[in-house]
Each structure stands twice: as structure tokens, then as C-alpha cells.
Amino acid sequence: MVGAGLIGLEKVESLLRCGALIRVVAPHAVARVQELSAHGQIIWLAREYEPADALGCDLVIAATNDREVNQAVFEEARNQHILCNTAD
């Protein structure tokens, strides 16, 4: 997951209900994402997205409020043949 705002949180909570292992990359996160990270339910990397973040993932979700970042995430996932969902 790239992005940890309200839309990202909705996706994180849905994926948690399915038993997914989730890594969130975002410099800032809503309180609930921080709480999930503090309790070990997700991994939150409090930094900007880097192309290598997609390595080893089965699914990448771009849920930032920045279309350019979402596009970069999508393109990197496509280059690595990883399924990607963008929230924009």
C-alpha cells in the first residue's frame, strides 16, 4: 500500500479482514494506520515510496492524493508484472 490516508486505511482494513500481510509506505499516516502498525498488524514505513518497495509483492495499491506518485507506482508495478490498483 502506498499512501496512508482515509482511502488507504479503508483498503488496509479490507485486506486485513482477508488475512493479507500488509506493508504501508507513506511519510504520514492517519491515527488508525499508526495504531495498526504499533500493534504489529501491519508494517508502516514512514517515508516516501521507492521503486524497490514493490519487489516481492503480489498486489500494489496506490492510494495517495498525488496523481504523479500514483502513476509512478502503477508504472513500476506494471514493469515488475505485479497487479496494481490505483485509487484515483
Side-chain angles (χ1 to χ4, degrees):
M1 171 74 58
V2 181
L6 295 177
I7 292 173
L9 173 61
E10 287 179 25
K11 303 222 180 246
V12 164
E13 289 183 327
S14 292
L15 291 167
L16 280 174
R17 286 192 295 274
C18 297
L21 301 174
I22 303 168
R23 181 175 59 225
V24 176
V25 180
H28 307 285
V30 295
R32 179 69 177 139
V33 170
Q34 293 177 31
E35 180 182 310
L36 290 168
S37 176
H39 289 105
Q41 294 174 280
I42 65 170
I43 296 168
W44 172 38
L45 304 176
R47 60 168 172 74
E48 298 289 335
Y49 167 79
E50 298 172 6
D53 290 330
L55 292 173
C57 294
D58 295 317
L59 170 67
V60 176
I61 299 174
T64 76
N65 60 359
D66 185 325
R67 286 184 180 266
E68 289 181 16
V69 172
N70 289 347
Q71 185 64 34
V73 171
F74 173 80
E75 289 175 11
E76 185 60 33
R78 182 179 60 193
N79 290 341
Q80 294 185 39
H81 306 287
I82 300 169
L83 183 64
C84 183
N85 173 267
T86 58
D88 58 356

